[in-house]
């Protein structure tokens, strides 16, 4: 009877150890590796969102500035710059550039909001 009880306890201890080890290698370790992979992908996506937001804001600023800068004339022999002929399409271009800049700013704001939402859900 003692031998049977001892064998049962030894079997139970070994069986439990192997079961826990199996759970560790089959469930816990792969899950940990997958979470680390997801976290690194999340960091890459955060950097991509930051870069895209900056690029959109820069493009919007460039479009706005482009409408305010008149093209420079070629310097003449006397050092004066001749005035360029007025461009009849300039108001249309400025309006279009302004509209595009506003659209880019809207997208940049949406990306900022998305980035903030992603960071707060972690």
């Amino acid at each position: 009877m003692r031998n049977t009880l001892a064998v049962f306890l030894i079997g139970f201890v070994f069986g439990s150890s192997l079961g826990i080890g199996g759970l560790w290698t089959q469930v816990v370790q792969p899950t940990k590796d997958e979470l680390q992979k997801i976290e690194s992908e999340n960091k890459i996506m955060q950097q991509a969102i930051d870069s895209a937001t900056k690029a959109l804001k820069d493009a919007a600023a460039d479009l706005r500035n482009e409408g305010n800068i008149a093209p420079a004339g070629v310097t003449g022999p006397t050092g004066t710059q001749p005035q360029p002929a007025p461009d009849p399409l300039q108001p249309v271009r400025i309006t279009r550039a302004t509209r595009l800049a506003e659209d880019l700013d809207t997208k940049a704001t949406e990306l900022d909001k998305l980035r903030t939402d992603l960071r707060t859900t972690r």
Side-chain angles (χ1 to χ4, degrees):
M1 172 87 170
R2 275 185 160 182
N3 285 340
T4 306
L5 186 60
V7 168
F8 173 75
L9 286 175
I10 290 172
F12 182 75
V13 169
F14 283 141
S16 297
S17 299
L18 291 175
I20 291 171
L23 279 173
W24 179 262
T25 58
Q26 296 296 318
V27 177
V28 176
Q29 194 65 32
T31 304
K32 178 184 171 191
D33 294 340
E34 189 67 25
L35 283 174
Q36 288 175 341
K37 180 181 171 186
I38 289 171
E39 285 180 2
S40 71
E41 289 173 355
N42 185 27
K43 288 178 184 176
I44 291 169
M45 292 303 292
Q46 291 288 338
Q47 291 171 347
I49 289 173
D50 290 342
S51 296
T53 302
K54 184 179 181 322
L56 287 172
K57 287 180 180 181
D58 290 346
D62 288 346
L63 281 172
R64 284 195 179 94
N65 289 337
E66 188 177 291
N68 295 332
I69 298 174
V74 180
T75 305
T78 60
T80 60
Q81 290 186 340
Q83 295 296 324
D87 184 1
L89 295 177
Q90 186 68 12
V92 174
R93 288 187 185 132
I94 291 173
T95 303
R96 183 168 183 263
T98 303
R99 189 176 66 244
L100 287 173
E102 289 170 0
D103 289 344
L104 291 175
D105 279 336
T106 302
K107 294 298 179 190
T109 303
E110 289 174 8
L111 283 176
D112 275 338
K113 184 179 182 303
L114 176 66
R115 182 185 54 197
T116 304
D117 291 346
L118 286 175
R119 287 185 179 164
T120 56
T121 57
R122 289 187 72 205

